[in-house]
Amino acid sequence: MSQEHFDALIEADERIEPDDWMPDDYRNTLVRQIAQHAHSEIIGMQPEGEWITRAPSLRRKAILTAKVQDEAGHGLYLYGAAESLGTPRAELLDRLHAKTQKYSSIFNYPTPEWADVGAIGWLVDGAAIMNQVPLCRCSYGPYGRAMVRICKEESFHQRQGYQIMLSLSQGTPEQHAMAQRALDRWWWPSIMMFGPPDADSPNTGRSMAWGIKRFTNDELRQNFVDATVPQAELLGLTPPDDALVWNAERGHYDFGEPDWDEFARMVRGEGEIPDLRIGVRRAAHDDGDWVRAAAAAYADKQAARSAA
Ligand code: BYC
C-alpha cells in the first residue's frame, strides 16, 4: 500500500477502507469533518430536546423523542467512523468539551417557540439532507456507508418538520404567524449552515479532489434555496430575503448575502448559547460516568469468565 495505490483508488472513484494506506492530510481532514459532524448530531439534540416535555400532544412528544434519539444514533455511527481512522471517541468528546473541535453553527440559535421544532425539521434537516446525500458517495468507506442510513432517517425528520409547519401555517392566524416567525429565525442560519462562500473555504478544493466532498458549499446552498422556496410557497410563508427572486436565465433563484460576520461569531462559539450547549453536554457526560464504569466492569468480568 502506497501513495500510488491511494491515488489510483481515488482516480478510479473507488473506496478507501480503514486498513488502506492513506496520506496523513486525508486522514486528518476526515477526522476533522467526521468529528465535527458527530458533535453536531449530539449537540443538535438540545434545541429540539428542550421541547419534548412541551410538545403539544402525546403523539408529537413521541415523534419528537424518536427524532432526537435518531440524532444520538447518528452521532454514534459517526464517532465509530472516526474511530476507524484511529482517533478514539473519548478523545473526540474531550475535544468537543474543551471547545477545540467545532459543531455546526446552526445549533447556536435558540428555540423559543414550538414552531421552531417544525422549522428545524424542515430547514435544518432539509439542509442536512442536501449536504449529506452526496456524502454517501464519500471516498472513505465507513463515512459514506454511515451516511446512507443517516440520510434515510433525516428524510423522515424533514417530513415531520414540514408537517408541523403545514399544520401551523394552515391553522389559526396566531399559529400561521408563529410559523412565519420560525421561518424568519431559521432561514439565514440554514443558508449559512453550508459553510463559508467557496472563495473563503480553505478545505473545499482538496476535499473535492479527494472525493470527500462532491459539491462545493455554494453549489449545495443554491440547490437548497431552489428546493426550499417552492416549499415555503406551499406553506404560504415568505423567506426573509427581499433579494430572493427566480432568475429564468440561470434557472435558479437569486438570493441575498448572508451575514457572514454573524456566521463567524457562531462558528467561534461566541455568546451565551454555546456555553449553555457545552455545559449541558459536559453535565450529561459526567452523569454517564457510572454507566461507562459499569459497562467496562461487566465487559472485564465476561472476559475473565470466558478466559477461565
Ligand atoms: N458550522 O473550508 P470549509 C444535523 C468551518 S447535524 C461550524 O468550507 P469544510 C442535525 C469548517 O469546519 C449535521 N463550522 O470546511 C442534528 C472549517 O473550520 P476547521 C451537520 C463550520 O469542512 C440534530 C472552516 O469553517 N452536518 O443534521 O470543507 C438535529 C472553513 O470551512 C461550518 C455536517 O456536519 C458550520 N456550519 O466544509 C437536526 C455535515 N461550516 O474545521 C439536524 C458534514 C464550515 O478547518 N460537514 N465550518 O477549523 C461538511 O459537509 C463540511 O464539513 C462543511 C464545511 C460543509 C460543514
Side-chain angles (χ1 to χ4, degrees), residues 32 36 71 102 105 128 131-132 193 195 201-203 213 217:
R32 176 187 64 77
Q36 177 177 325
E71 309 298 0
K102 300 184 171 91
S105 52
N131 167 279
Q132 289 169 196
M193 190 180 161
S201 163
N203 300 301
K213 286 167 91 162
N217 299 354

Side-chain angles (χ1 to χ4, degrees), residues 63-210:
I63 295 170
L64 188 55
T65 305
K67 189 218 186 257
V68 171
Q69 273 176 340
D70 283 351
E71 309 298 0
H74 298 175
L76 287 183
Y77 316 149
L78 289 164
Y79 285 126
E83 281 196 314
S84 73
L85 290 156
T87 316
R89 188 189 339 164
E91 199 176 310
L92 297 174
L93 284 170
D94 285 346
R95 291 187 205 167
L96 170 67
H97 299 157
K99 293 190 174 177
T100 55
Q101 265 178 350
K102 300 184 171 91
Y103 58 86
S104 179
S105 52
I106 195 80
F107 301 115
N108 286 334
Y109 293 88
T111 43
E113 297 188 281
W114 165 245
D116 292 308
V117 172
I120 290 181
W122 170 35
L123 298 172
V124 177
D125 287 280
I129 292 170
M130 196 57 84
N131 167 279
Q132 289 169 196
V133 167
L135 287 175
C136 296
R137 292 190 289 119
C138 169
S139 58
Y140 186 59
Y143 190 27
R145 288 189 289 274
M147 287 331 293
V148 174
R149 177 160 174 189
I150 292 179
C151 284
K152 286 189 180 149
E153 292 177 351
E154 297 292 20
S155 124
F156 151 67
H157 298 170
Q158 198 269 353
R159 283 179 177 83
Q160 69 84 38
Y162 194 72
Q163 206 271 327
I164 292 173
M165 294 301 276
L166 199 57
S167 333
L168 292 174
S169 64
Q170 293 177 347
T172 62
E174 288 80 5
Q175 287 170 327
H176 186 91
M178 177 168 54
Q180 179 64 52
R181 285 195 297 275
L183 172 57
D184 291 346
R185 271 193 289 277
W186 291 92
W187 178 257
W188 287 111
S190 303
I191 302 260
M192 293 191 281
M193 190 180 161
F194 291 92
D198 292 348
D200 302 324
S201 163
N203 300 301
T204 294
R206 216 168 42 163
S207 289
M208 299 270 287
W210 276 328

